[in-house]
Amino acid sequence: MSDYMTALPEIFLLSMACVVLTVDLFLKDSQRNITYLLSQVSLGLTLLLTLAYQPHGTQLAFNGTFISDLMSVVLKCFVYVVTMGVLLYSRRYLQDRGMFKGEYYVLGLFGVLGMMIMISAYSMLSLYLGLELMSLSMYAMVAFCRNSKRASEAAMKYFVLGALASGILLYGMSIIYGMTGSLNIIEISRSLAEQGSSVGVLLGLAFIVVGLAFKLGAVPFHMWIPDVYHGAPTAVTLYIASAPKIAAFAMTMRLLVEGLGSLQADWQTMLMVLAVLSLGLGNIVAIAQSSIKRMLAYSTISHVGFLLLGILAGTGEGYAASMFYALTYALMALGGFGMILFLSRKGFEAEELDDFKGLNERSPWFAFMMLIILFSMAGIPPTVGFYAKLSVLTAVVNVDLIWLATVAVIFSVIGAFYYLRAVKMMYFDAAEDQSELQPCLSFRFALSANGLTVLALGLFPAGLMALCAAALNG
Amino acid sequence: MENLYLAIPLAPLVGAILAGLFGHQIGRTASHWVTILGVGTAFALSLVAFNHIVFDGGEVFNQSVYTWMVSDGIRFEVGFLVDTLTVMMMCVVTGVSLMVHIYTIGYMHDDPGYQRFFSYIALFTFSMLMLVMSNNFMQLFFGWEAVGLVSYLLIGFWYKKETAIYANMKAFLVNRVGDFGFLLGIAAVLMYTGSLDYDTVFAAMPSLVGQTIEIIPGSPWDVITVICILLFIGAMGKSAQVPLHVWLPDSMEGPTPISALIHAATMVTAGIFMVARMSPMFELSETALSFILIIGATTALFMGLIGMVQNDIKKVVAYSTLSQLGYMTVALGASAYSAAIFHLMTHAFFKALLFLAAGAVIIAMHHEQDIRKMGGLKKYMPITYWVSLIGSLALIGFPGFAGFFSKDAIIEAVHHSEIVGASYAYFAVMAGVFITAFYSFRMFFLVFHGETRMDEETKSHCHECKPVVTVPLILLAIPSVIIGALAIGPMLFGDFFNGVIFVDPSRDVIAQVGEHYHGVWSFVLHGLSAPAVYLAFAGIFSAWFIYLKRPQLATLFYNRLRPLHSLLEKKYGFDEFNAAVFGGGSLKLGNLLWKFGDIKLIDGLLVNGSAKAVGWFSGKLRHIQTGFLYHYAFAMIIGLLLLLTWFVVR
């Protein structure tokens, strides 16, 4: 396969994003649905291309700066599917608020392109380019609703902190480059295995870990998450909260595990600190939130803690568990924020927890869907969240870090409180808002499919788990 | 044959599900039809199986039909062991159950829970069949608990009645004690043999002889004895042996058909069946056999004594059931397993008959159960009168009737037994004969003879019941007369139980009795020359003399023997003792744990305390999120610096 064929999905999506950008210029506001459909079609076709041209084994391209393997295929496919869900869920929200503009879709597509490059990057340079492409798109999306003070503030914070984090990451990368003489992941890995650990390498490692921690949103580099999630329009929050986590997981895997794998003993301890802090702070502070968007933001932080647990276990089992966690968390986050969009309507943001009161009276079916998603986030069987947590914990226990597993379980128990409180509000409190739910059929259908997938994956997790294991160990 | 065996328990189950879940859709008539069809099918197929195994000499079926799970090398299976013992039990269970089903149409006619009732008794039949057909301990336990569950549901069938709820709670709790022992026994079996399958366990048992277990350090106990006694504790609960008998008299709060089916004919004999099934195990421990013998003898004698002072028609029959269960247990203890099973079978028929007859009387008397308010019912209810007479004669062991053969065999067997406690048991069963005859005929005379003591209102409505009630009575009366004479030869002295029941040759009392057995007639004649029969006659005569001839004697005895009478009326104070010590004790303990452990420690400190702490902490911690960009950046820098100092500088 030639280099260009290996990167065909990326090239295709780039062209399509440009096409969407151009086409959108010539559309009237009333024709904006064309932009929407074109974006969805682009993502769908990229999905098909990715599947059709998937490599046998590992395929390197562009002088080893780009990789295509089973892991990249699986992660990318999830990114497409989740993003398609995001576009579908957010359409009506954007229409109701006069934000149904081409920019959302173009930026969204470029963001996806960035994620794809992050997933497939095999050199620190391409990795950084992908990361910046994604981040810049997201900064712009947060600020997308220019009139909103809150959104602008969030975008500003996000941008400044993101730039700081990027700088730190880049600094770390440059130190590693200085120590190993290469930007290429394989070369770095080879060189480090020879020279072993040194102060210089550790310095670089620490900076890289901080950069990664910011992108993932691990404590104490999480500060942007609550403010950005809360400040951004919900449609954008939905975008930021779901697919980018998959890309961030890929970046962590490429950099830490594949590139700096020989320093595992060092980064294991660092991640441990980050994981415990994230689990603790995320779960505890989420309890004090009254806004569901902020609550889910803190919940994200705690989930990142779990994600890190699997990686720091440092075994194939742990990586697979972590990947499973990242994929299923993206689905849960999609459903959770999707539910907020579902309840919102023109002139009304269903952002407060109280807006979920009595949902069961208004729509028993969607209350049930939300129940599944919340149960899954809390890790209650038979939803997929339980299995994801279980496999991560098993991996951690298998490397004799029993105390860490215990801490994780205790914080999960504390965390279960705020998920269950939301469930209690849906089922046992009287509804304050009796207005009819408006979403269209496709939204209803997609949200139901989303909830049921979370349930079905919990009942039959073996297939996806085997796929994750194969992707990482194959 | 496998499909046939599978169909036998499943047919009543299907009936139970249809009547239970769809009872209101399909209506009352359809509900009783589906369950009767299910049980009828099971009965017919049981007869086919009986014919196949007993008369055609078919292969014993011992196979698993479904593997539930395999865990740590232990197989949990559903399997059937169908041999002569099983087919006999199957016929008795389904036969009596079928009669009770039909009878119920009349008895429960106006009850709002009609469909529920049919569903329960069909479910019971399924559970009992699973119990007797099992080839492993797991399924045995399943059936054991399932019959217990249905029994519990049926005792409290009239769940708005305070006493019924009390009674079913009591049955539940007392059976818990027994079942706990039973479960420990099964666990011990599993621990020492690594298997739950009967065949494997029995084969492994001889290798355990002489092994000891130290439950309390310093006192080694024989493993087999421990296992047998634990299993027997289960049987004591289910088969209502002293001191776990207290639930059975109270269980009479349930509808009468249930008392006949579950609390007389079938479920309460599950313990007897289980011990007989486990004979290869029990034979290895003489200590356990002595224990069984003494418990059984005590139950047989002392429960009969209580029966003498009861005035509730169902309670009299209930105490007689306890006493007869004692007889069966005595037979087990004396290693006369076949005699125990034989008595189980005859007892199933005549006791079901007596209960159903009592039920007929209760219907006629408009749910009046006090025998002091009856009398002279003979002319109102001729059919019930005659079948009750047959049942009572069978119960007291009148020569020629079913009970005569089985009870006489037990008495003879105990007479020959030489293990510890045998002489006490012999005395108990002999005295029991007189007592049985006395209370049976006391009730019989008070109900059917003498002057009518009911009020005019009741008298004007008193008449014989409908055929759905009387036909089952007649159908049960037939085996109550003849089954003993028919079955004694093959069952006790033939090779019916060869390869099924194992008896150590040194204790084979039935073989010793069999040396003198020369056919049914000589057995009857021999019986006439033995003291037992005369004790029975004496019992009838005393009852007749005291309650019909000279009624003032009853009052006289009552006044003279008041302390004894009140002791019997209080049932030796078991209930008071249990209520004060176990009931009161656990209430006090529970209160203490609740007030201190639950409210203060768990609710107060652990649950609410930690929740409050987390909530407080959460409230404090959220202020870290100040909203100021420079704070955020500062936090990141600090985090980076900490990582650097911690990991790099070190």
Side-chain angles (χ1 to χ4, degrees), chain A residues 29 43 73 102 111 125 130 139 183 200-201 240-241 271 282 304 317 354 379 403 421 424 461:
Chain A
D29 267 355
L43 285 170
V73 171
L125 194 59
Y139 302 146
L183 285 170
V201 174
I240 298 176
L271 295 192
V304 164
E317 186 195 4
D354 287 348
W403 68 269
R421 180 177 58 183
K424 179 220 147 210

Side-chain angles (χ1 to χ4, degrees), chain B residues 8 19 38 143 207 209 241 306 321 359-360 370 418 504 535 547 579 622:
Chain B
I8 292 174
S207 64
V209 173
Q241 298 296 305
I306 300 180
T321 305
D370 193 329
E418 285 160 1
D504 193 276
L535 282 170
Y547 289 96
R622 67 181 296 187

Side-chain angles (χ1 to χ4, degrees), chain A residues 157 160-161 165 199 202-203 206-207 210 214 220-221 223 226-227 266 269-270 273 281 284-285 287-288 294 298 414, chain B residues 614-615 617-619 621-622 624-629 631-633 635-640 643-644 646-648 650:
Chain A
K157 283 178 182 164
V160 172
L161 294 175
V199 174
L202 283 179
L203 203 62
F207 279 98
V210 170
F214 178 84
F221 311 101
M223 297 293 208
D227 287 11
D266 297 296
T269 329
M270 296 185 193
V273 176
L281 188 115
I284 288 176
V285 179
I287 291 176
R294 281 190 99 84
Y298 282 103
I414 293 176
Chain B
V614 168
F617 195 51
S618 171
L621 215 55
R622 67 181 296 187
I624 297 180
Q625 196 78 17
T626 51
F628 292 120
L629 185 56
H631 283 169
Y632 296 179
M636 282 175 67
I637 304 288
I638 293 287
L640 173 67
L643 275 189
L644 284 177
W646 192 358
F647 292 101
V648 183
R650 253 196 293 214

Side-chain angles (χ1 to χ4, degrees), chain B residues 195 209 211 265 278 285 289 295 510 533 552 565 570:
Chain B
S195 173
V209 173
Q211 279 199 42
M278 309 289 155
S285 167
L289 288 176
I295 293 282
I510 288 294
V533 166
Q552 60 274 31
H565 196 273
K570 282 195 173 148

Side-chain angles (χ1 to χ4, degrees), chain B residues 21-45:
Chain B
L21 297 183
F22 307 104
H24 286 288
Q25 282 80 5
I26 60 177
R28 293 162 82 93
T29 319
S31 296
H32 75 234
W33 273 114
V34 289
T35 48
I36 287 175
L37 268 178
V39 176
T41 312
F43 180 54
L45 295 178

